[in-house]
Amino acid sequence: MATIYDIAKKTGFSTTTVSKALNNYSDVSEKTKQKILQAVEEMGYLPNAHAQSLSTKKSWTIGVMFSESNEVGMKHPFFSAIIESFRKNAEREGYDLIFASRNLRNRDISYLEHFSYRAVDGIVVICSDPQDPQVQEMINSTIPIVVIDMNKQNCSLVFSDNIEGGKLAVNYLHSLGHTKIAHIAGDALTDAGAERIKGFKKAMNELNLPIHDGYLINGGLFSIGEGKAAMEKLLMLDDVPTAVFVAGDHMAIGAIEAIKEKGLSVPEDISIIGYDDIEMAAYITPKLTTIKQDTDMIGYQAAKLLMKQIIQKKKLITSKRIPVELIIRESCSQKK
Amino acid sequence: MATIYDIAKKTGFSTTTVSKALNNYSDVSEKTKQKILQAVEEMGYLPNAHAQSLSTKKSWTIGVMFSESNEVGMKHPFFSAIIESFRKNAEREGYDLIFASRNLRNRDISYLEHFSYRAVDGIVVICSDPQDPQVQEMINSTIPIVVIDMNKQNCSLVFSDNIEGGKLAVNYLHSLGHTKIAHIAGDALTDAGAERIKGFKKAMNELNLPIHDGYLINGGLFSIGEGKAAMEKLLMLDDVPTAVFVAGDHMAIGAIEAIKEKGLSVPEDISIIGYDDIEMAAYITPKLTTIKQDTDMIGYQAAKLLMKQIIQKKKLITSKRIPVELIIRESCSQKK
DNA sequence: CTCTTTACCGAAAGCGCTTTCGTTAATGAA
DNA sequence: TTCATTAACGAAAGCGCTTTCGGTAAAGAG
């Protein structure tokens, strides 16, 4: 690879001048700048990112930490949609994403250490466990950070309006005539799970609807299997609900499965409304009515918030609550 | 951040010795090594990746280029599953993944240039267009590379056994008594599409089954919409097939939609078999029978092939064909 | 007791780039 | 014509690390 030195030699200028020409310094004449640019072209010169970062202390990279309990990594449709949006926006500003592991050449180091090692300019974390010590460590560090899907951390936050989402779901169900509404909740240890429960309770309360015994059930960490198991419990109740608000689409899919296996059908016997609006939601049978999270907007705002911190060179404590939307499909129907 | 110089000062040794201790050189005594390691611990020292890369010419990063026509990026379930597997395997060897764009600080440069700039140790590309000039440029460069989902390039390749997959599908359909079998193909410009067509034809031939006019139809770039459109054309034929092998699960989902809208049902009226086995396949109605691509294995072999080239410091021209598997679910049934 | 090994350690150069600060020549002001 | 500006360029240090090549002292050989 040609270096800055090579093109200095070729043009007869010093490396200083070459560097300046490349970085648009004002104290280099237009004429020499053109000569240099031409040599750059001819020799196919490209700067070396590492040398550049070493001397400027800026790497133009953003570390992404992806953590969810089910070990699916980037296969997770909701998280990966957010990251994709984040990537597009960060890209536009000139940043590359780097996915780091905890394993630095077989020494088990923390994510923060790994990101420090790589000298990333910022970190984005998508994580559902608000207590994760790794995440806490990063939040407490000096590296700009934005965390997605949590709502009360001492840093910049981007999350969906989960309370509103819960209310939307319940109100919709109620508008269809349902009163015996259950909630298969996401684990209350996750902020998203807890907030959706809050929204559920609030809406039920405002509607003067009682929450029957056993109608608020923990569906765990949002997986299909857990959703199915939770629904099975609901089905064993003496007084089975006529509608259930499920805190995640995967869980909702599991719930529907449980209902079908029991010989009942959705929405005729039981209405189901999910949360997320993953791609699959529109294609299962019945097509899933759900609360859509705006992954594009989440990614966009996260990128924006992170850029802002990087530019201002200081961590900002802000939160951005992103609106959600009711997507009506076929899994809910009028109470008979 | 503490540097190697700081810990040299603290321990009284030279930076040379510190570096050697950290890199397990043999010419540093156990005693001084321990002293240095302790200082490292106390000061929370971490090496600087950029300085290290600059001097060793090795960055411990792998560039990933993700390209598919539908602009979904990492949301693509099949591709992201492969990348996830690749990541896990590369990680184990100490590599981080970097997702680069074509936009280097607002200058529009090629992927190859971007990866050169970042000085990645290797490149993995998942791309369906074998002619993509960007991909060709990378293949012709000196950077180790492995490309996934193509099967005749002058580099290391990993791909599914698409011919066998096509045959598996047709044979299965035939075993159910079907003879009027159509194929909604992936674009023949993609290797995967072309090979599946080959498998389809071969199997039909071996079975002495004629391919009726209009039974081989181009479904384009594997999207739901295109699959639906293709199926609609099949449904307009005078002699509608009783079974169709669809070259991708997304297209299959679209095909099923078309069939349902026509008032027919799967598999009672028409059997459908897909390709890929994306997550959704198991949850749509009817559950999709499909040819499963082994994404874990593809990612694993790709990582292995890339590591090998990196270690040997030379590009290798090999291909790894990964077996596929018939997954029987509910979208195909005995011909009535 | 002398000579060759061996074990340890360090000086210094180099990786490719940026940036401060100084220098020179050309320009304008007086 | 002389002095202060300004424009254009370069020397050199520095970013944090690795690695070659010597050098010294201790150990072993003869």
Side-chain angles (χ1 to χ4, degrees):
Chain A
M1 287 289 335
T3 73
I4 210 179
Y5 186 79
D6 294 323
I7 94 134
K9 195 147 70 181
K10 173 161 186 168
T11 57
F13 293 103
S14 70
T15 58
T16 307
T17 303
V18 173
S19 173
K20 284 180 178 172
L22 262 24
N23 292 290
N24 293 313
Y25 274 59
S26 60
D27 63 343
V28 35
S29 74
E30 190 57 32
K31 210 168 73 183
T32 84
K33 185 171 167 180
Q34 288 311 324
K35 278 188 200 162
I36 288 173
L37 257 30
Q38 186 182 338
V40 161
E41 194 67 30
E42 285 173 19
M43 309 190 69
Y45 166 83
L46 270 179
N48 177 308
H50 299 297
Q52 222 162 250
S53 304
L54 186 56
S55 98
T56 59
K57 307 275 190 205
K58 175 145 177 89
S59 67
W60 293 97
T61 56
I62 289 171
V64 358
M65 181 217 185
F66 217 99
S67 158
E68 28 63 59
S69 33
N70 300 324
E71 281 298 321
V72 294
M74 16 187 137
K75 285 185 287 189
H76 191 112
F78 172 61
F79 284 177
S80 72
I82 291 176
I83 285 295
E84 173 65 14
S85 161
F86 182 92
R87 184 182 68 82
K88 283 198 185 118
N89 287 287
E91 211 167 73
R92 194 175 311 125
E93 306 291 326
Y95 290 88
D96 288 341
L97 263 40
I98 136 165
F99 285 77
S101 63
R102 297 186 47 185
N103 171 8
L104 180 52
R105 225 89 17 86
N106 297 326
R107 289 201 318 131
D108 198 35
I109 66 172
S110 73
Y111 277 99
L112 174 60
E113 287 174 319
H114 203 129
F115 287 139
S116 303
Y117 165 70
R118 290 284 182 201
V120 299
D121 295 332
I123 298 175
V124 52
V125 359
I126 307 195
C127 178
S128 42
D129 179 6
Q131 327 236 34
D132 189 323
Q134 293 268 337
V135 174
Q136 290 306 322
E137 193 189 23
M138 290 189 278
I139 290 176
N140 295 326
S141 81
T142 60
I143 306 179
I145 190 173
V146 53
V147 352
I148 293 170
D149 218 29
M150 293 191 198
N151 60 19
K152 37 183 182 294
Q153 298 290 335
N154 197 35
C155 65
S156 283
L157 262 18
V158 178
F159 51 88
S160 278
D161 193 342
N162 288 308
I163 296 186
E164 184 60 26
K167 289 166 79 172
L168 270 179
V170 171
N171 287 334
Y172 175 62
L173 258 17
H174 181 255
S175 78
L176 291 176
H178 293 281
T179 54
K180 294 196 299 184
I181 303 174
H183 179 36
I184 295 181
D187 198 303
L189 290 178
T190 69
D191 289 348
E195 297 277 293
R196 289 168 204 173
I197 291 173
K198 226 183 258 179
F200 168 74
K201 284 183 175 170
K202 207 170 210 166
M204 290 296 275
N205 204 37
E206 287 170 5
L207 260 23
N208 281 318
L209 259 33
I211 300 176
H212 295 61
D213 268 0
Y215 271 29
L216 177 47
I217 182 168
N218 185 358
L221 270 1
F222 302 90
S223 72
I224 293 178
E226 290 166 307
K228 187 171 177 185
M231 189 67 223
E232 280 163 357
K233 282 192 197 153
L234 286 178
L235 288 169
M236 282 165 43
L237 256 31
D238 290 336
D239 195 14
V240 175
T242 62
V244 11
F245 162 39
V246 188
D249 283 351
H250 277 116
M251 290 196 300
I253 287 165
I256 291 174
E257 232 178 34
I259 294 172
K260 284 184 180 169
E261 283 184 10
K262 179 88 175 189
L264 300 174
S265 65
V266 178
E268 290 73 13
D269 298 303
I270 301 180
S271 286
I272 294 285
I273 180 168
Y275 208 103
D276 284 348
D277 195 29
I278 59 179
E279 186 195 16
M280 217 193 297
Y283 299 103
I284 60 167
T285 307
K287 296 191 173 72
L288 190 64
T289 290
T290 191
I291 303 296
K292 175 186 170 122
Q293 297 201 61
D294 191 344
T295 54
D296 281 346
M297 183 56 81
I298 293 176
Y300 167 73
Q301 291 291 355
K304 194 168 151 191
L305 234 51
L306 192 54
M307 299 298 113
K308 194 168 168 189
Q309 297 180 76
I310 292 176
I311 291 169
Q312 298 188 193
K313 293 183 197 308
K314 58 185 274 206
K315 303 187 79 161
L316 262 28
I317 318 278
T318 21
S319 10
K320 199 83 193 174
R321 184 185 303 268
I322 312 296
V324 293
E325 185 188 354
L326 171 64
I327 303 289
I328 298 179
R329 295 207 181 89
E330 306 170 349
S331 64
C332 296
S333 68
Q334 201 77 32
K335 162 132 198 287
K336 289 174 293 205
Chain B
M1 287 292 333
T3 74
I4 211 180
Y5 186 78
D6 295 323
I7 95 136
K9 194 147 71 178
K10 173 159 186 169
T11 58
F13 293 102
S14 70
T15 58
T16 306
T17 304
V18 172
S19 174
K20 285 181 178 172
L22 261 26
N23 291 291
N24 292 313
Y25 274 59
S26 60
D27 64 342
V28 34
S29 74
E30 189 58 28
K31 211 167 75 182
T32 84
K33 185 170 169 182
Q34 287 312 323
K35 277 188 199 163
I36 288 173
L37 256 30
Q38 186 182 341
V40 161
E41 192 67 30
E42 285 173 20
M43 308 190 69
Y45 166 82
L46 271 178
N48 176 309
H50 299 297
Q52 226 163 244
S53 304
L54 186 54
S55 99
T56 59
K57 307 277 190 203
K58 175 147 178 87
S59 66
W60 293 98
T61 56
I62 290 171
V64 359
M65 181 216 187
F66 219 98
S67 159
E68 28 63 58
S69 34
N70 300 323
E71 280 299 320
V72 293
M74 13 189 140
K75 285 185 288 190
H76 192 111
F78 172 62
F79 285 178
S80 70
I82 291 176
I83 285 295
E84 172 66 12
S85 161
F86 182 91
R87 186 182 66 82
K88 284 198 185 118
N89 287 287
E91 211 166 71
R92 194 176 309 124
E93 307 290 327
Y95 290 88
D96 287 340
L97 263 42
I98 133 165
F99 285 77
S101 64
R102 297 185 48 184
N103 171 8
L104 180 53
R105 225 89 16 87
N106 298 325
R107 289 199 318 131
D108 200 34
I109 66 173
S110 73
Y111 278 100
L112 174 60
E113 287 173 318
H114 203 130
F115 287 139
S116 302
Y117 165 70
R118 290 283 182 200
V120 299
D121 296 331
I123 298 175
V124 52
V125 359
I126 307 196
C127 178
S128 39
D129 179 6
Q131 326 236 36
D132 189 321
Q134 293 270 336
V135 173
Q136 291 305 324
E137 193 188 22
M138 291 190 278
I139 289 175
N140 295 326
S141 81
T142 60
I143 306 180
I145 191 172
V146 53
V147 353
I148 293 170
D149 219 29
M150 295 191 195
N151 60 19
K152 38 184 180 298
Q153 298 290 334
N154 196 32
C155 66
S156 282
L157 261 19
V158 178
F159 51 87
S160 277
D161 193 342
N162 289 309
I163 297 187
E164 183 60 27
K167 291 167 78 172
L168 269 179
V170 171
N171 287 334
Y172 174 62
L173 257 19
H174 181 255
S175 78
L176 292 175
H178 293 281
T179 53
K180 296 198 295 186
I181 302 174
H183 179 36
I184 295 182
D187 198 302
L189 289 178
T190 68
D191 289 348
E195 296 279 291
R196 288 168 204 173
I197 292 173
K198 223 181 263 179
F200 168 74
K201 285 183 175 168
K202 204 169 212 168
M204 292 295 277
N205 204 37
E206 287 171 6
L207 261 22
N208 282 318
L209 259 32
I211 298 177
H212 295 65
D213 267 0
Y215 271 30
L216 177 47
I217 181 168
N218 184 357
L221 269 1
F222 301 90
S223 71
I224 293 177
E226 290 166 306
K228 187 172 176 183
M231 189 68 225
E232 280 163 357
K233 283 190 196 153
L234 286 179
L235 288 169
M236 282 165 43
L237 257 31
D238 290 335
D239 194 14
V240 175
T242 63
V244 10
F245 161 40
V246 189
D249 283 350
H250 277 117
M251 291 196 300
I253 288 165
I256 290 175
E257 235 179 31
I259 293 173
K260 284 183 181 171
E261 283 183 9
K262 178 87 175 188
L264 300 175
S265 65
V266 179
E268 290 73 13
D269 298 304
I270 301 180
S271 287
I272 294 284
I273 181 169
Y275 208 103
D276 284 348
D277 194 29
I278 60 178
E279 186 195 15
M280 217 191 302
Y283 298 104
I284 60 167
T285 305
K287 297 191 173 71
L288 190 63
T289 290
T290 191
I291 304 294
K292 175 189 171 117
Q293 297 201 61
D294 191 345
T295 53
D296 281 345
M297 182 57 80
I298 293 175
Y300 167 74
Q301 292 291 355
K304 194 168 150 188
L305 234 51
L306 192 54
M307 300 297 112
K308 194 169 169 187
Q309 296 181 79
I310 293 177
I311 290 170
Q312 297 187 193
K313 294 182 195 308
K314 58 185 274 207
K315 302 186 80 160
L316 262 28
I317 317 278
T318 22
S319 7
K320 198 84 194 175
R321 184 186 302 268
I322 311 296
V324 294
E325 184 188 353
L326 171 65
I327 303 288
I328 299 179
R329 294 206 181 90
E330 305 170 349
S331 63
C332 296
S333 68
Q334 201 76 31
K335 161 129 198 288
K336 288 173 295 202

